[in-house]
Amino acid sequence: MPELRTDFSGQLPDTYDQLLVPMLFAPYAEVLGARIADLVPARVLEVAAGSGALTRELAARLPNAAITATDLAQPMLDRAAALGPDRVRWQQADAQDLPVPDAAFDVWACQFGIMFVPDRVRAYREAHRALAPGGHLVLATWTGLAGNGFADALDAALRARFPDDPPGFVRAVPHGYTDPDLVCRELTAAGFADPQVDVVVLESVAASAEDVATAFLLGTPVGHVVRDRGPGEPEATTAHVEAAVRARFGAGPVRAPMTALVVTARR
């Protein structure tokens, strides 16, 4: 896995929440939120909560549930907590080493965060430990770039701009955990039963090609990767990505397919 920067300070959490959440994460938060609500949990643990897109959806759908939302990056949690709701317990935590008691939750949830975990089986074992018998794991992970138009345009633009050494982050990390059989094997290795994987295709919408480029280059670790390439980055690459998105999807509003694996498993 490419080395990740852990600095999520500055404008990154705000850009992430203002642009990436409506473009990518809010639509899938509705899907996961509905599935989790159908399980009628009293206690929910969310890992890699980011700025709280799924957390807010769960709080709305489960008004009586106790919700604990965690993330490794404190600045992202600070953004999430500022948006509320107040009844959520926000806690900095590593998904591989959760500071929670055994059998304390009915649902463990993770939306587009498991791909960033260095040892996924270890994280799944922690999820298994944290869940009560009969509890459920619910997660989402992106499929390959071919099913995700904006990310594919980003990756192609980065390859064109840096042909001798293209940044591999997008392909290797957020879109690097795409095999349903591997997901099921790792869940089974961690003790989960009956993993089920659904391919869910939705539409990603942004106000403009500029918003898409800004979201990826200033609201994700891609910006850190590109900044290392030299002076004027990531601003120059943002303009390059904007042109690539405009050429493929228009100036705006822009629309593209996005595809994810939505996974459930039983403790």
Side-chain angles (χ1 to χ4, degrees):
M1 177 182 291
E3 183 178 355
L4 300 182
R5 295 283 190 85
T6 57
D7 181 9
F8 286 84
S9 61
Q11 72 180 52
L12 192 151
D14 290 348
T15 303
Y16 176 101
D17 192 74
Q18 292 166 4
L19 296 180
L20 274 179
V21 165
M23 187 173 84
L24 300 179
F25 301 131
Y28 281 101
E30 292 185 17
V31 174
L32 267 66
R35 294 193 180 204
I36 292 169
D38 285 346
L39 298 171
V40 198
R43 305 160 299 172
V44 178
L45 173 65
E46 184 185 0
V47 302
S51 64
L54 177 57
T55 321
R56 294 188 290 273
E57 186 73 23
L58 292 173
R61 290 178 179 269
L62 298 167
N64 297 316
I67 299 172
T68 299
T70 70
D71 198 280
L72 189 60
Q74 188 63 50
M76 294 293 277
L77 276 182
D78 291 342
R79 170 73 183 185
L83 296 171
D86 293 340
R87 70 181 182 87
V88 173
R89 181 185 179 216
W90 307 96
Q91 184 173 7
Q92 193 276 338
D94 185 339
Q96 301 168 115
D97 187 19
L98 293 170
V100 299
D102 295 352
F105 297 92
D106 306 306
V107 165
W108 176 101
C110 182
Q111 176 172 269
F112 301 120
I114 194 64
M115 309 90 74
F116 295 86
V117 176
D119 188 339
R120 292 185 299 265
V121 173
R122 179 178 169 186
Y124 291 150
R125 288 183 178 133
E126 275 291 271
H128 192 274
R129 178 189 66 79
L131 285 170
H136 289 82
L137 170 147
V138 182
L139 68 85
T141 181
W142 297 115
T143 63
L145 290 170
N148 292 276
F150 290 151
D152 187 51
L154 168 68
D155 182 70
L158 293 176
R159 289 174 180 276
R161 180 160 172 77
F162 304 104
D164 295 333
D165 183 21
F169 172 82
V170 178
R171 185 179 298 269
V173 183
H175 293 274
Y177 190 42
T178 64
D179 182 352
D181 292 336
L182 175 60
V183 176
C184 291
R185 287 197 304 272
E186 291 184 342
L187 286 169
T188 301
F192 282 95
D194 195 29
Q196 303 290 323
V197 181
D198 294 324
V199 178
V200 179
V201 181
L202 300 176
E203 185 176 57
S204 182
V205 181
S208 66
E210 179 184 7
D211 278 0
V212 175
T214 301
F216 282 127
L217 270 299
L218 300 182
T220 79
V222 175
H224 295 314
V225 175
V226 170
R227 186 173 288 110
D228 292 340
R229 297 303 176 104
E233 302 293 357
E235 290 77 12
T237 298
T238 301
H240 183 81
V241 172
E242 178 186 347
V245 172
R246 186 186 299 110
R248 191 183 297 195
F249 300 106
V254 287
R255 300 173 181 271
M258 56 181 176
T259 311
L261 305 179
V262 175
V263 184
T264 59
R266 183 168 43 82
R267 161 76 158 81

